[in-house]
Amino acid sequence: MTTVYGMARSGNCYKVQLLLEQLGRPYRWVEIDSAGGQTRTPAFLAKNPNGKVPLLECDDGRLLAESNAILCWLADGTHYLAADPWQRAQTLQWLFFEQYSHEPYVAVARFIRGWLPEDHPRRAELPRLLEQGYRALDVMERHLDGRAFFVEAGYGVADIALFAYTHAAADGGFDLAGYPAITGWLARVRAQPGFVEQAC
Amino acid sequence: MTTVYGMARSGNCYKVQLLLEQLGRPYRWVEIDSAGGQTRTPAFLAKNPNGKVPLLECDDGRLLAESNAILCWLADGTHYLAADPWQRAQTLQWLFFEQYSHEPYVAVARFIRGWLPEDHPRRAELPRLLEQGYRALDVMERHLDGRAFFVEAGYGVADIALFAYTHAAADGGFDLAGYPAITGWLARVRAQPGFVEQAC
């Protein structure tokens, strides 16, 4: 059976859980306390030298890291990842946007506010993280205006990846009140068959 | 003809140039001074609302952003991107590693040292960027030990993406002397048919 090494509170890990639930695929979840150093043990580093979750282990022992690479691998051949080359290219564009222009701000702001003490020096990063995170939300809002999902082919891994931290953006201090297109899209994602909320 | 909007000094843009040269595909290069604000004009934002280069424009006007999504789109169906699903998954793993764990440190250190004045406050970021950049280089060194290229299928877009800033790591203050596997791999990339050095 497929094994996911993940931390339930992590949006990157939730992506993989959400897709597996929607695919109806059985899997084993091994909870890894990334914040507590469990991705830096010799045993874990032997599986993923980059020391990050999520990590997928196939039943034959093959290993795959990087949440969005895992999404594409699991979704390939299903309607969650279009077969059409241009639709796939658009999907990848949004997956890279998520990891470069969205997650490092929206997710990191959530981490600093939710995991670190009130007087932690990294709180000084928050104004810049909010500014950059709002810039990513602006790009999403503009794209979703008049569109149901990120890629024309319909709901798929680009939506799953961007939902993971956008749905929890308030935890990072973001106010989505001025983002009606994003708010509508969040509701459409939640209405998808097999949708599950993040556990924590 | 395919148009690339890019900045020659940018590693992310060089990736696209290198692949197009190796594919032998004709293209038009439109130089965009990203550092000088040309990605923030209304005309450019109409093409890429995220305000970044590289940006690919197909001859029918379709637009694709994100360097690594562009690489996959251009390489699809060629030996620079394997058709085998597992090899493709591994390729994507390394492409996401590059954008999340490598570029934000190795490329940003190069930018701060090469583009900003000596007394710029962002110089204070350099120690952390070096620490995190060396961590990415350690992951690459470990993976390349005993391997010719990043993915078993052979030289391809994962190598192109990781070459783009690793070959210029010294500009960011990184010393590759302790990285024999990376150094050997850089030489193997340079020996590939159609290889071109970055212009600037």
Side-chain angles (χ1 to χ4, degrees):
Chain A
M1 191 187 294
T2 297
T3 300
V4 180
Y5 298 90
M7 184 171 72
R9 293 184 301 173
S10 149
N12 285 323
C13 299
Y14 169 52
K15 294 174 189 174
V16 178
Q17 183 204 358
L18 176 52
L19 177 60
L20 283 165
E21 293 287 342
Q22 293 192 303
L23 289 169
R25 265 184 69 162
Y27 62 96
R28 189 171 71 103
W29 183 277
V30 178
E31 184 71 13
I32 299 284
D33 182 8
S34 173
Q38 288 184 4
T39 52
R40 293 275 155 203
T41 64
F44 190 84
L45 289 170
K47 287 186 186 290
N48 181 9
N50 201 28
K52 291 186 191 301
V53 285
L55 177 71
L56 192 82
E57 187 168 31
C58 303
D59 47 14
D60 59 6
R62 288 180 299 173
L63 294 155
L64 186 64
E66 298 294 333
S67 59
N68 290 355
I70 295 170
L71 289 183
C72 291
W73 164 248
L74 291 172
D76 200 16
T78 79
H79 61 88
Y80 296 104
L81 179 58
D84 172 74
W86 183 251
Q87 299 288 318
R88 289 177 86 105
Q90 296 287 308
T91 298
L92 284 179
Q93 173 191 285
W94 286 108
L95 293 177
F96 283 108
F97 167 85
E98 190 268 335
Q99 283 287 283
Y100 194 86
S101 297
H102 183 288
E103 201 268 12
Y105 308 111
V106 180
V108 174
R110 176 175 177 256
F111 171 76
I112 289 174
R113 284 170 49 110
W115 272 256
L116 302 181
E118 287 279 349
D119 58 350
H120 197 281
R122 288 198 64 185
R123 295 240 160 199
E125 297 174 26
L126 285 171
R128 183 171 161 271
L129 295 175
L130 283 168
E131 181 193 332
Q132 296 290 321
Y134 274 122
R135 185 176 279 189
L137 294 170
D138 289 346
V139 172
M140 292 169 64
E141 180 72 13
R142 177 169 166 174
H143 183 75
L144 287 169
D145 185 17
R147 287 184 176 92
F149 296 107
F150 274 90
V151 177
E152 202 183 338
Y155 176 76
V157 294
D159 302 288
I160 291 174
L162 282 158
F163 182 84
Y165 287 106
T166 306
H167 88 96
D171 296 348
F174 296 93
D175 181 358
L176 294 183
Y179 294 87
I182 290 179
T183 307
W185 164 77
L186 289 173
R188 286 190 293 279
V189 173
R190 285 197 166 94
Q192 290 298 305
F195 175 83
V196 290
E197 289 284 355
Q198 188 167 7
C200 313
Chain B
M1 189 187 294
T2 297
T3 300
V4 180
Y5 299 90
M7 183 172 72
R9 293 183 302 173
S10 149
N12 284 322
C13 298
Y14 169 52
K15 293 174 190 175
V16 178
Q17 183 203 359
L18 175 52
L19 177 60
L20 283 165
E21 293 288 343
Q22 294 193 302
L23 289 169
R25 267 185 68 162
Y27 62 97
R28 188 171 71 103
W29 183 277
V30 178
E31 183 72 13
I32 299 285
D33 181 9
S34 173
Q38 289 185 2
T39 53
R40 295 273 154 205
T41 65
F44 190 84
L45 288 170
K47 288 185 185 289
N48 181 9
N50 201 29
K52 291 186 191 299
V53 284
L55 176 71
L56 192 82
E57 189 169 28
C58 304
D59 47 13
D60 60 6
R62 289 180 299 172
L63 294 155
L64 186 64
E66 298 294 334
S67 59
N68 290 354
I70 295 170
L71 289 183
C72 290
W73 164 250
L74 292 172
D76 201 16
T78 79
H79 62 88
Y80 295 105
L81 179 58
D84 172 74
W86 184 250
Q87 299 288 317
R88 289 176 87 104
Q90 296 287 308
T91 299
L92 283 180
Q93 174 191 284
W94 286 108
L95 293 177
F96 283 108
F97 166 85
E98 190 268 336
Q99 283 287 283
Y100 194 86
S101 297
H102 182 286
E103 202 268 13
Y105 308 111
V106 179
V108 174
R110 175 175 177 257
F111 171 76
I112 290 174
R113 283 170 49 111
W115 273 256
L116 302 182
E118 286 279 349
D119 58 349
H120 197 282
R122 287 198 65 185
R123 296 240 161 199
E125 297 174 26
L126 285 172
R128 182 170 163 271
L129 296 176
L130 283 168
E131 181 193 330
Q132 296 291 320
Y134 274 122
R135 185 177 279 190
L137 294 170
D138 289 346
V139 171
M140 291 169 65
E141 179 72 14
R142 177 170 165 174
H143 183 74
L144 287 169
D145 185 19
R147 288 184 176 91
F149 297 106
F150 274 92
V151 177
E152 201 183 339
Y155 175 77
V157 293
D159 302 288
I160 290 173
L162 282 159
F163 182 85
Y165 287 106
T166 306
H167 89 96
D171 296 348
F174 296 93
D175 181 359
L176 294 183
Y179 293 87
I182 290 178
T183 306
W185 164 77
L186 289 173
R188 285 190 293 278
V189 172
R190 285 196 165 94
Q192 290 297 306
F195 175 83
V196 289
E197 288 284 355
Q198 189 167 7
C200 312

